[in-house]
Amino acid sequence: MDTDNSQIDSGPTIEELIKENRSLKRKFALAETNYNRLLNVSSTLERVESILYDSFKKELQFFQLVLENMTNILLLFDFDGRFAYASNAFLQRTGIKDFSSINGCHYMDVLRSLVSEQKNNVLYDAINEANTEKRTVSIELEIDFCFKDLPRIYSILVTPMLNEHGNITGTMALFNDITELVKTSEKAQAASKAKGDFLSNMSHEMRTPMNAIIGMTAIGKKAPDIVGKDHAFNRIGDASSHLLGVINDILDMAKIEADKLELSPIEYHFDNMLGKVLTVIHFRADEKKQILTFNIDSSIPKIIVGDDQRLAQVLTNLLSNAVKFTNEGGRIHLEAILIEETENNCILQIEVHDNGIGISSGQQDKLFNAFEQADGGTSRIYGGTGLGLAITKRIVEMMGGAIRIESVLGKGSKFIVTVKVGRGSKRESPADGQALETDVFPSGQPKDIFVGKRLLVAEDVEINREILITLLDETGIVIDCAETGKEALDM
Ligand code: ADP
């Protein structure tokens, strides 16, 4: 059989096939490499995506936490003024249970039921101004949400939210509760004003007796007879003790401010201490024809342990105030009661009542602050430093007690003091109804115990030395004098 060789497709030669095979293998290898690279890239992208997602999620959770826990009220409104977000602080303050109940509602509709119309208008104006002028507007507003809370003072920052083209997309309002800050600053302002008033009162309080001393000294010098000189001396004596009182108050207050006031407890006779205080006050009450009465609980131990001088200072201050702020012919009463006792201690309550000018309830809280007086007019009419009650409060607190006041303006006042004292070693009580034994040193009567005793006066200021010698002369004590510490030691 004949075969037409020209029509037979001889096909690729072996070499061509080998070549093509090689080329295909190369292409395949390249494709495989690219494929693997793509796989790598895709898995890298997946990893990057997951990392980004995780960090975005974390950031989102972080900001959510910040927003949920922020104590400030943060409100976000959309372009139309509809609620887009409200922080928990807002929901808590307003009693709104779930944000979804106000989500999308216009802020005016929501706030209408929560704050007064006038406050709502102020907020509306601030939001309008912020959006119109594209800047943060700051306002201060006192708001009592739901009309039931005590009003709080907020500093509110209203800021427009602008997109990258500078167009407004919404508004943000951040409420910062500054109530405590405002109160503290008001207190600081009041304290600074009180200190200012105190300084001007003080210069008056010091200058008046100083002028009296200088004036009366001149009058005394010129007085032709002993009666005139005596009168001048008496006035100088009164003015000096008043001045000493003012100076003592200032020194005590300085000690209190430096936390240096200390008590010196001793064993003492409670009735005697009261007797001395009442004798001094009795003279002042007499001058104003006032009736001074007292009642001492017979179960109070006769001998107690404490700082008698400081307790006397407290009672003198309360009783002097009672005399000072009660009109002529008024009544002043002191009551001492034993309210609690243990084996070693007692709690005494001492009350000072008067039917004087009284103090309004608004002024009562301020009285125990240093430099405060019931009102500016009081100091002008009655004088005084405004330090007495602050010192009294501090002393009473140091004695483990407290002081409070009950008063009605125009009707009178009652100051109630409690102090903790120790029981003395001689545990005896005065018999019922026994009169107070007052142990005031009778002027001009030398006490037997001093006669024949010697005393060394060491004082470098000549006038002070002279005064001490003159005063001690009456006691019958033999007095020696030293002008310096060294001289005193040598003697
Ligand atoms: P001072 O009497 O020296 O001004 P205090 O601290 O003792 O200072 O008293 C402060 C203020 O309290 C007085 O200025 C007065 O306004 C008021 N006050 C104190 N005691 C009485 C009282 N018994 N009756 C009326 N007001 C009083």
Side-chain angles (χ1 to χ4, degrees):
M1 203 182 359
D2 281 345
T3 314
D4 186 355
N5 279 343
S6 64
Q7 290 189 358
I8 294 174
D9 184 4
S10 58
T13 61
I14 295 282
E15 286 79 19
E16 281 171 340
L17 280 174
I18 291 170
K19 212 170 156 189
E20 198 177 333
N21 187 26
R22 273 198 205 118
S23 147
L24 278 173
K25 268 187 179 166
R26 270 201 306 277
K27 280 184 186 157
F28 181 74
L30 194 68
E32 198 176 36
T33 315
N34 284 342
Y35 175 73
N36 283 337
R37 274 195 194 136
L38 273 175
L39 270 184
N40 270 343
V41 168
S42 137
S43 88
T44 312
L45 277 176
E46 257 174 38
R47 274 207 311 279
V48 168
E49 193 183 3
S50 125
I51 290 168
L52 281 177
Y53 177 75
D54 280 351
S55 86
F56 178 69
K57 207 167 128 191
K58 268 189 197 146
E59 248 173 65
L60 200 69
Q61 279 170 344
F62 174 74
F63 282 117
Q64 246 167 0
L65 263 180
V66 171
L67 288 177
E68 271 167 25
N69 288 297
M70 78 190 291
T71 48
N72 298 33
I73 292 177
L74 175 67
L75 306 178
L76 301 182
F77 312 121
D78 67 10
F79 179 77
D80 297 318
R82 295 178 188 284
F83 263 96
Y85 176 81
S87 66
N88 278 348
F90 177 75
L91 303 181
Q92 277 159 11
R93 188 120 289 183
T94 53
I96 295 173
K97 293 226 161 47
D98 199 342
F99 174 66
S100 58
S101 63
I102 53 166
N103 193 5
C105 300
H106 197 277
Y107 74 87
M108 285 293 268
D109 295 334
V110 176
L111 294 183
R112 194 168 292 134
S113 59
L114 301 174
V115 296
S116 71
E117 193 184 340
Q118 183 238 342
K119 307 273 158 86
N120 219 346
N121 286 343
V122 177
L123 270 173
Y124 175 82
D125 288 345
I127 293 172
N128 244 359
E129 190 181 333
N131 289 343
T132 319
E133 298 185 14
K134 290 190 177 170
R135 63 172 180 86
T136 298
V137 171
S138 161
I139 52 169
E140 209 176 286
L141 208 54
E142 197 179 48
I143 305 179
D144 52 335
F145 279 114
C146 306
F147 313 98
K148 65 177 182 345
D149 260 357
L150 276 179
R152 311 283 304 170
I153 304 163
Y154 295 96
S155 151
I156 307 171
L157 292 178
V158 184
T159 309
M161 294 193 287
L162 305 175
N163 64 12
E164 68 270 31
H165 307 295
N167 297 327
I168 292 171
T169 57
T171 319
M172 176 164 77
L174 182 67
F175 292 54
N176 195 8
D177 189 335
I178 53 165
T179 316
E180 299 313 319
L181 204 71
V182 171
K183 274 191 197 156
T184 315
S185 119
E186 278 171 0
K187 262 192 198 160
Q189 277 172 18
S192 130
K193 183 182 174 302
K195 275 199 179 179
D197 292 350
F198 165 76
L199 279 181
S200 67
N201 277 350
M202 195 55 67
S203 57
H204 172 80
E205 280 295 304
M206 294 180 96
R207 215 176 288 143
T208 312
M210 220 36 232
N211 285 341
I213 292 168
I214 295 167
M216 278 296 150
T217 309
I219 291 172
K221 270 186 192 165
K222 281 190 197 147
D225 53 16
I226 193 71
V227 180
K229 287 193 191 293
D230 246 12
H231 171 73
F233 279 142
N234 285 340
R235 299 296 301 271
I236 290 170
D238 290 349
S240 311
S241 27
H242 180 75
L243 190 59
L244 187 65
V246 173
I247 292 170
N248 281 341
D249 272 3
I250 296 170
L251 293 179
D252 277 349
M253 202 59 224
K255 274 192 196 159
I256 287 174
E257 296 227 317
D259 214 10
K260 290 257 162 61
L261 191 76
E262 280 171 9
L263 297 181
S264 313
I266 53 157
E267 211 165 75
Y268 70 95
H269 200 294
F270 182 67
D271 287 355
N272 278 359
M273 182 277 297
L274 263 185
K276 284 178 191 168
V277 170
L278 287 167
T279 307
V280 174
I281 296 300
H282 190 71
F283 285 117
R284 300 191 200 164
D286 254 10
E287 277 170 12
K288 289 182 86 175
K289 298 184 180 58
Q290 292 164 337
I291 299 163
L292 175 65
T293 54
F294 58 89
N295 187 30
I296 316 296
D297 184 347
S298 59
S299 49
I300 295 176
K302 214 168 183 176
I303 313 280
I304 61 171
V305 181
D307 189 327
D308 61 334
Q309 309 240 358
R310 288 295 182 188
L311 188 54
Q313 181 181 355
V314 164
L315 301 180
T316 306
N317 182 39
L318 295 181
L319 286 163
S320 315
N321 276 349
V323 171
K324 185 158 100 175
F325 297 108
T326 301
N327 292 335
E328 291 225 340
R331 288 182 161 274
I332 290 142
H333 178 73
L334 180 140
E335 185 93 27
I337 318 158
L338 175 72
I339 55 167
E340 216 181 292
E341 60 181 327
T342 59
E343 175 65 13
N344 298 318
N345 295 310
C346 308
I347 295 183
L348 308 182
Q349 177 162 308
I350 307 171
E351 301 175 1
V352 175
H353 308 219
D354 66 60
N355 63 349
I357 61 169
I359 306 159
S360 70
S361 51
Q363 306 284 356
Q364 288 174 22
D365 302 338
K366 298 198 296 179
L367 288 186
F368 300 103
N369 296 342
F371 318 116
E372 293 276 6
Q373 293 177 314
D375 65 66
T378 313
S379 63
R380 277 190 295 279
I381 302 167
Y382 296 94
T385 58
L387 293 181
L389 287 178
I391 297 170
T392 298
K393 180 171 188 270
R394 181 77 184 118
I395 296 175
V396 165
E397 283 170 355
M398 285 175 79
M399 291 179 176
I403 181 166
R404 66 190 166 85
I405 177 182
E406 289 171 11
S407 181
V408 179
L409 195 62
K411 293 252 156 67
S413 311
K414 177 157 118 185
F415 283 85
I416 303 137
V417 163
T418 53
V419 286
K420 191 173 172 182
V421 294
R423 279 171 172 280
S425 47
K426 291 183 205 159
R427 295 193 180 158
E428 43 181 317
S429 295
D432 278 355
Q434 184 182 320
L436 275 184
E437 179 199 333
T438 58
D439 191 21
V440 188
F441 192 75
S443 66
Q445 294 291 310
K447 280 223 152 181
D448 290 346
I449 50 159
F450 293 140
V451 177
K453 296 263 159 63
R454 293 191 70 179
L455 193 112
L456 175 63
V457 171
E459 169 63 63
D460 56 348
V461 182
E462 191 187 346
I463 179 100
N464 289 349
R465 225 172 25 246
E466 231 171 81
I467 292 169
L468 279 170
I469 294 167
T470 316
L471 289 174
L472 289 166
D473 201 35
E474 289 180 1
T475 62
I477 302 176
V478 178
I479 302 155
D480 295 311
C481 265
E483 289 182 26
T484 62
K486 186 176 177 312
E487 198 183 328
L489 285 175
D490 289 346
M491 286 168 84

